[in-house]
Amino acid sequence: MNTLKHTLNKLVGEALSVVSGLTDCDPNVITASKPEFGDYQSNGIMSIAKKVGTNPRQLASDVVEKITADANPLIAKLEVAGPGFINIHLSDTALMQRASEIQNDTRKLIPTTNKVDKIVVDYSSPNLAKEMHVGHLRGTIIGDCLARVLERQGHEIIRQNHVGDWGTQFGMLICYMREISVLQGDLPTQLADLESFYRAAKERFDADPEFADTARGSVVKLQGGDADHLVVWQQFIDESLKHCQALYDKLNVTLSRKDLKAESFYNKDLEGVVKKLEEASLLSISNGARCVFLPEFTGKDGEPLPVIIQKTDGGYLYATTDLAAVQFRSFDLKAERSLYVVDARQSLHFQQVFAVGRKAGFASENISLEHIAYGTMMGSDGRPFKTRSGDTIKLVDLLDEAIRRAHELVSKKNPGLDETTYLEIAEKVGIAAVKYADLSKNRTSDYVFDWSSMLSFEGNTAPYLMYAYARIRSILRKQNSGLQGVQITSVSEVAERNLLLKIMQLSEVVDMVARDCYPNLLCNYLYELAGMFMRFYESCPILKAEAQLRDSRLALSALTAATLHQGLDLLGIETLEKM
RNA sequence: GCACCCGUAGCUCAGCUGGAUAGAGUACCUGGCUACGAACUAGGGGGUCACACGUUCGAAUCGUGUCGGGUGCACCA
């Protein structure tokens, strides 16, 4: 089943083509900007009229006449308005008809795509040398949401967690670990707090030149495949990954060990990358480093800007690894799209990697490489987020605080439940609030980290959406006749009709999110949907209505719940029966 | 110096590929629970969409310029 918008766009577009004589007219149908304009509006008539040189209102009324003559059952009424808009009012019976099709199988709320793509989603990708901090939240949950959305549409999703496990810091850490294990043995305890372990190693590194030298040597040995170093390294990586996985589980993020494609995975391909660039005659040596210069990239003072492939000392850089990854995704995984959910500050890096990748044949022509950039999390001082001491806040601390506050609130709001229930509710509400606070913002803008808005449970927040869901479930629990075969038969109240129409529009929003990768569109939608339910709830008695109306409203409520549930699931937010 | 992102209500942010009278949340003020859950809801005040010029039937949205903020630009990732 096509979306309403898609169907209308086609309907009006075809009529417009016939009337105007132009092929491929875009009628630009959008949801109506005001209720008095109907359900949808076509904005495209004016520009077409201009192209053909006719009066826009006349053209609009010709289009209306044509569509009316065809008597499409979906349309109740069309009006020409303003300079040449067409306002579209949908038929109530057609709406209820669509609803009943979906009720029988609520998976139809989101139709599956008719062209299945293989899509790589590269997200989260923390550096394993340190613990994840609040700055890692965005990429992790935006990527997870996109993966869920695309997967739900029926695409084949390959999650890739491109963790940093191979950089220079690991020499330092390995070196420090070897010291510790000789002195104290008990490594797991030492690694329980990665952050302080890193700090200790760094202090050692800064204080003792001899240690620093050994550390630099350790990187070379590690990357050269030295067995001893690899064992110690693996031990550290395993421990660090456990930390990450615990956070993913806590965040209800779908990443697992099998999605791991660490930097080290590409180590074996790096020489090949250099060779391939050489064969393509793209490499040149500048100040001792092997670089690719592309004319479209210039740096300070207009000098040509290199993509450095291999350092003077022979070491490889992240551009090298990323080129290997482009090749892997394009030719081994054979993906049609590769999404890189990475901080906007790396835009230039990805432009370069994509450009070199195309030029040197690391990417086939079939793959679309997309940097899904997101803005930086700022402190209240307008600078990239740091605490007063200059540290970042650990992600786990943010989550724990959210859960603590949710626990406090739920035990106050809903006394008399047992402690296990409180903990379960607090965990879900707290995590959801944090995720939603981030996902509901346009990903491209920088945003200010603020405890109170991130941990708010009122207004446009996840708890509001979850509350709407819990309310519906509560009503459904109170009726015991079952909803088998019960249909929506009334949309005569404005609140009923608005709610039903909104439900039908989930699929339109999901389409937009899948195309443009903006999860906040889905958040906006769900907030409006929940708001419409709240208004319906205030103005339309459900359980107290007479039998037929009661059933219709119960069915509408149930369908709302299903829509909220599916929408929230795409955001990676779980619902609760009670809260 | 060059490039990218941004500037919308006191604060935090939306604004659907140019549409009709610019919207939410929060904060503040006023109403609504013996009720299908008040984490809710109804209403009020609050705006030179940074500024200027341009494109056009129409601009917060597109273009140019100015101002202001953020970010990136050679061997870290």
Side-chain angles (χ1 to χ4, degrees):
Chain A
M1 185 166 27
N2 279 320
T3 63
L4 285 168
K5 188 189 272 185
H6 187 269
T7 307
L8 292 169
N9 219 43
K10 200 164 161 230
L11 181 69
V12 181
E14 279 166 1
L16 190 53
S17 289
V18 170
V19 172
S20 70
L22 287 181
T23 52
D24 256 358
C25 289
D26 180 11
N28 194 9
V29 171
I30 64 166
T31 49
S33 55
K34 290 184 191 309
E36 57 266 36
F37 299 155
D39 302 318
Y40 287 84
Q41 64 186 63
S42 168
N43 292 339
I45 309 290
M46 280 85 83
S47 65
I48 302 289
K50 177 138 208 167
K51 240 182 246 173
V52 211
T54 57
N55 177 303
R57 276 194 70 99
Q58 184 57 51
L59 181 62
S61 85
D62 289 348
V63 170
V64 166
E65 208 170 295
K66 169 85 177 84
I67 298 172
T68 311
D70 294 345
N72 190 300
L74 189 56
I75 309 290
K77 189 173 62 165
L78 298 170
E79 302 160 326
V80 178
F85 298 104
I86 297 177
N87 291 339
I88 304 168
H89 301 255
L90 299 177
S91 138
D92 291 353
T93 44
L95 274 180
M96 290 188 280
Q97 173 63 36
R98 268 179 107 88
S100 74
E101 279 177 50
I102 290 172
Q103 271 177 298
N104 298 329
D105 177 9
T106 51
R107 286 194 62 87
K108 287 187 180 161
L109 279 165
I110 303 169
T112 47
T113 178
N114 35 30
K115 185 190 171 295
V116 177
D117 284 331
K118 197 181 266 191
I119 305 175
V120 169
V121 186
D122 173 333
Y123 66 105
S124 193
S125 308
N127 186 335
L128 295 182
K130 295 188 187 182
E131 209 157 320
M132 288 175 80
H133 57 81
V134 287
H136 289 108
L137 180 66
R138 300 205 81 184
T140 302
I141 61 181
I142 291 171
D144 200 52
C145 173
L146 297 176
R148 285 168 184 263
V149 166
L150 292 164
E151 198 159 58
R152 179 68 176 76
Q153 286 196 316
H155 296 291
E156 185 183 335
I157 303 305
I158 306 169
R159 292 169 174 77
Q160 297 274 277
N161 193 0
H162 191 89
V163 297
D165 66 346
W166 208 237
T168 33
Q169 313 102 311
F170 289 94
M172 175 183 89
L173 292 167
I174 288 171
C175 217
Y176 191 60
M177 277 174 76
R178 288 162 70 97
E179 276 193 0
I180 297 259
S181 58
V182 170
L183 295 175
Q184 313 177 9
D186 185 21
L187 265 173
T189 317
Q190 295 292 321
L191 291 177
D193 186 344
L194 281 180
E195 208 55 30
S196 57
F197 186 85
Y198 184 90
R199 227 175 297 133
K202 184 82 168 67
E203 270 169 33
R204 186 90 179 78
F205 184 89
D206 291 339
D208 183 348
E210 201 177 315
F211 177 88
D213 270 350
T214 321
R216 279 187 276 267
S218 291
V219 187
V220 180
K221 281 190 180 158
L222 172 68
Q223 300 190 345
D226 176 87
D228 282 356
H229 281 71
L230 278 171
V231 168
V232 181
W233 170 80
Q234 190 64 52
Q235 205 176 349
F236 183 91
I237 296 298
D238 281 344
E239 196 57 34
S240 185
L241 282 173
K242 269 186 216 160
H243 282 69
C244 289
Q245 194 58 50
L247 271 168
Y248 295 148
D249 294 345
K250 195 164 190 149
L251 275 169
N252 189 27
V253 158
T254 55
L255 285 171
S256 70
R257 287 292 279 254
K258 68 174 167 38
D259 304 312
L260 217 60
K261 272 292 174 295
E263 282 181 307
S264 57
F265 170 79
Y266 298 102
N267 193 45
K268 58 181 175 12
D269 304 324
L270 300 181
E271 270 179 49
V273 169
V274 174
K275 198 167 159 223
K276 191 160 182 171
L277 288 167
E278 232 158 27
E279 283 165 6
S281 305
L282 287 167
L283 272 188
S284 52
I285 296 189
S286 170
N287 296 332
R290 292 176 141 168
C291 306
V292 178
F293 288 94
L294 293 181
E296 58 263 46
F297 298 106
T298 53
K300 291 174 186 166
D301 311 320
E303 284 172 21
L305 187 66
V307 179
I308 303 177
I309 302 297
Q310 194 168 21
K311 298 192 282 184
T312 310
D313 67 7
Y316 300 104
L317 290 152
Y318 73 138
T320 328
T321 312
D322 277 341
L323 284 171
V326 166
Q327 182 167 249
F328 178 72
R329 290 165 193 189
S330 183
F331 291 104
D332 293 331
L333 298 178
K334 298 184 169 58
E336 271 98 22
R337 281 177 91 182
S338 182
L339 310 180
Y340 293 77
V341 185
V342 181
D343 192 302
R345 284 175 286 190
Q346 294 192 33
S347 293
L348 180 59
H349 165 71
F350 281 111
Q351 279 179 43
Q352 292 183 317
V353 167
F354 295 166
V356 174
R358 293 270 180 222
K359 205 151 193 171
F362 291 104
S364 81
E365 280 167 19
N366 308 331
I367 192 169
S368 154
L369 302 168
E370 305 169 38
H371 177 203
I372 309 303
Y374 55 86
T376 310
M377 187 186 270
M378 314 290 262
S380 50
D381 56 356
R383 320 227 24 124
F385 187 80
K386 292 255 158 66
T387 60
R388 227 168 283 149
S389 62
D391 295 331
T392 47
I393 293 178
K394 284 198 219 169
L395 185 48
V396 68
D397 290 343
L398 172 65
L399 301 183
D400 286 343
E401 175 64 10
I403 294 167
R404 194 191 64 74
R405 293 199 196 185
H407 188 281
E408 206 174 348
L409 187 68
V410 69
S411 43
K412 197 171 77 192
K413 294 263 184 201
N414 211 345
L417 302 177
D418 61 275
E419 187 56 22
T420 325
T421 313
Y422 281 140
L423 286 174
E424 191 201 330
I425 293 171
E427 175 114 12
K428 290 197 174 162
V429 169
I431 298 292
V434 170
K435 291 180 81 168
Y436 186 89
D438 202 331
L439 287 171
S440 62
K441 290 172 172 68
N442 184 317
R443 67 172 161 80
T444 56
S445 38
D446 295 344
Y447 82 101
V448 176
F449 176 89
D450 171 52
W451 285 101
S452 64
S453 71
M454 192 155 258
L455 302 179
S456 165
F457 301 136
E458 286 166 16
N460 188 0
T461 62
Y464 177 84
L465 305 180
M466 297 165 86
Y467 182 66
Y469 181 83
R471 263 185 160 179
I472 298 173
R473 299 301 302 167
S474 172
I475 293 168
L476 295 177
R477 276 195 298 273
K478 287 195 167 73
Q479 65 83 37
N480 36 28
S481 47
L483 287 173
Q484 217 50 22
V486 172
Q487 299 283 314
I488 296 170
T489 52
S490 165
V491 287
S492 47
E493 288 293 326
V494 177
E496 289 176 313
R497 194 176 184 285
N498 286 346
L499 181 57
L500 180 59
L501 179 61
K502 196 73 184 176
I503 289 169
M504 298 296 133
Q505 291 169 339
L506 172 65
S507 52
E508 295 172 8
V509 176
V510 169
D511 277 349
M512 283 197 277
V513 176
R515 193 189 58 219
D516 302 327
C517 301
Y518 286 97
N520 69 308
L521 298 176
L522 182 54
C523 295
N524 290 346
Y525 167 82
L526 290 172
Y527 178 63
E528 285 167 13
L529 174 68
M532 281 179 182
F533 175 77
M534 295 294 193
R535 265 156 261 151
F536 161 71
Y537 176 91
E538 294 283 333
S539 61
C540 301
I542 300 166
L543 294 173
K544 286 180 187 164
E546 56 81 25
Q548 200 196 341
L549 190 57
R550 177 192 132 110
D551 281 352
S552 171
R553 288 178 176 171
L554 279 169
L556 181 57
S557 300
L559 194 56
T560 307
T563 310
L564 278 170
H565 183 86
Q566 289 195 29
L568 285 168
D569 183 62
L570 294 179
L571 295 177
I573 292 175
E574 295 175 274
T575 51
L576 289 161
E577 297 297 305
K578 291 179 184 172
M579 61 185 277

